[in-house]
Amino acid sequence: MAGYAAATYLRGIPFVQVPTTLLAQVDSSVGGKTGINHHKGKNLIGAFYQPKFVLIDLALLDSLSDREYISGFAEMLKYGVVLDGKFFDFMHANAEKLLHRDKDCLQFAVKTSCMLKASIVERDEREGGLRAVLNYGHTIGHAVETLTDYRQFLHGEAVSIGMAQAARISEAMGGASTACTERILSLLTKLHLPTDLPAFKADDYLAAILHDKKVKDDGLSFVFNKDIGNFYIDKVKDVSRLLKVCEIGD
Ligand SMILES: NC(=O)c1ccc[n+]([C@@H]2O[C@H](COP(=O)([O-])OP(=O)(O)OC[C@H]3O[C@@H](n4cnc5c(N)ncnc54)[C@H](O)[C@@H]3O)[C@@H](O)[C@H]2O)c1
Ligand SMILES: [Zn+2]
């Protein structure tokens, strides 16, 4: 909200970001997407506006609750799954240390996440194409947030559920291996993140997904993982097929 205010006040004043949640340190403070929610939808009002710099101080996380802290792992894992298999392996090998807030591990993980996000945003600041990779897990994640009125799940938790489904969809419709899906699901669980979809009807999920601004006439842009560390984006015309893969019934 402060970023959006800085973007519009006097047609723009300089600002810096000092993120105080893990999720903000690894994702929202980098990349210049600022915005506020409207009752008609999330992030409907906003601007692309880069901060002068981002100051990340891990000590700020000391007072953060475990639930909020763990929620940040979801976006970190996202980078590993679609951009950097080695980073995924690092998280797998150091899950316990990350859960115990080991400073060296955390510093490496936060720094790597910021570098991975920056490498995408530098090439595609305004989501002309490539930046859409950062929406991995978010199509279904956003639907979960909408259907539960933003009350039941933190953003990272909803993204975790969305990534578990994206992994299943990538296997069923895109040819990723079963082993790859299992590795993704097992790391989410190891990091104490949720993977099960809340029970809503297929029609409700469909309406929530189709309302998303990323759905165009020629279909829904969906981010698939190829294996771990690689991705591709494809249009899905029949969105209900996605739901069948996730076993969302009527
Ligand atoms: N702009 C982007 O690129 C981008 C990227 C990812 C997520 N997001 C958005 O970010 C939002 C989630 O933000 P968030 O996870 O940073 O949570 P948040 O800012 O909503 O904060 C979560 C809670 O933690 C408290 N808190 C924050 N820092 C604390 C600290 N150091 N100690 C104790 N308590 C603290 C807050 O008061 C709040 O109650 C979602 O709406 C998500 O969609 C935006
Ligand atoms: Zn997100």
Side-chain angles (χ1 to χ4, degrees):
M1 187 169 73
Y4 178 64
T8 48
Y9 183 67
L10 300 177
R11 296 197 180 86
I13 56 168
F15 85 116
V16 300
Q17 293 265 26
V18 187
T20 66
T21 66
L22 181 59
L23 191 136
Q25 293 190 347
V26 299
D27 196 345
S28 23
S29 65
V30 177
K33 270 194 186 178
T34 69
I36 52 174
N37 297 335
H38 186 271
H39 67 87
K40 292 225 162 140
K42 200 176 152 106
N43 297 330
L44 278 185
I45 302 160
F48 286 99
Y49 196 61
Q50 298 294 348
K52 289 290 167 212
F53 65 88
V54 181
L55 181 100
I56 297 176
D57 183 349
L58 296 182
L60 289 170
L61 304 181
D62 288 350
S63 52
L64 198 62
S65 71
D66 282 342
R67 189 176 171 202
E68 289 286 353
Y69 174 75
I70 284 169
S71 162
F73 289 153
E75 305 278 15
M76 286 161 57
L77 207 107
K78 171 185 83 178
Y79 301 127
V81 174
V82 285
L83 298 174
D84 187 345
K86 280 201 184 117
F87 183 46
F88 182 94
D89 292 343
F90 170 86
M91 289 189 69
H92 219 299
N94 292 284
E96 281 304 315
K97 280 190 177 172
L98 287 168
L99 283 165
H100 289 102
R101 306 187 184 216
D102 177 279
K103 278 274 178 320
D104 290 338
C105 248
L106 193 57
Q107 185 168 337
F108 176 78
V110 171
K111 197 173 165 187
T112 306
S113 298
C114 291
M115 279 167 29
L116 287 167
K117 177 153 185 190
S119 74
I120 297 294
V121 176
E122 267 165 20
R123 284 182 275 165
D124 174 19
E125 189 180 357
R126 292 183 173 235
E127 205 158 324
L130 181 67
R131 188 169 178 160
V133 62
L134 302 173
N135 295 328
Y136 180 74
H138 282 60
T139 303
I140 292 174
H142 280 158
V144 167
E145 284 184 295
T146 308
L147 291 172
T148 54
D149 253 347
Y150 298 92
R151 295 213 175 107
Q152 197 176 331
F153 298 102
L154 301 179
H155 178 68
E157 293 169 343
V159 169
S160 171
I161 294 171
M163 284 196 293
Q165 311 317 314
R168 289 191 180 119
I169 290 166
S170 299
E171 182 187 336
M173 292 169 62
S177 69
T178 309
C180 166
T181 311
E182 278 167 5
R183 261 176 83 70
I184 296 169
L185 289 173
S186 93
L187 185 50
L188 290 169
T189 308
K190 211 170 168 183
L191 290 169
H192 302 183
L193 283 162
T195 54
D196 290 340
L197 280 164
F200 288 98
K201 289 180 178 165
D203 282 351
D204 295 337
Y205 270 104
L206 205 59
I209 290 172
L210 294 177
H211 187 260
D212 200 292
K213 62 182 182 303
K214 284 159 205 101
V215 182
K216 306 238 167 72
D217 291 344
D218 52 347
L220 169 80
S221 247
F222 195 83
V223 187
F224 295 82
N225 58 282
K226 268 193 203 161
D227 42 43
I228 291 178
N230 287 297
F231 74 96
Y232 66 96
I233 299 174
D234 206 358
K235 295 274 182 193
V236 175
K237 287 217 171 76
D238 181 7
V239 179
S240 58
R241 238 189 107 195
L242 298 180
L243 303 180
K244 286 204 185 90
V245 173
C246 309
E247 291 171 5
I248 299 171
D250 300 325

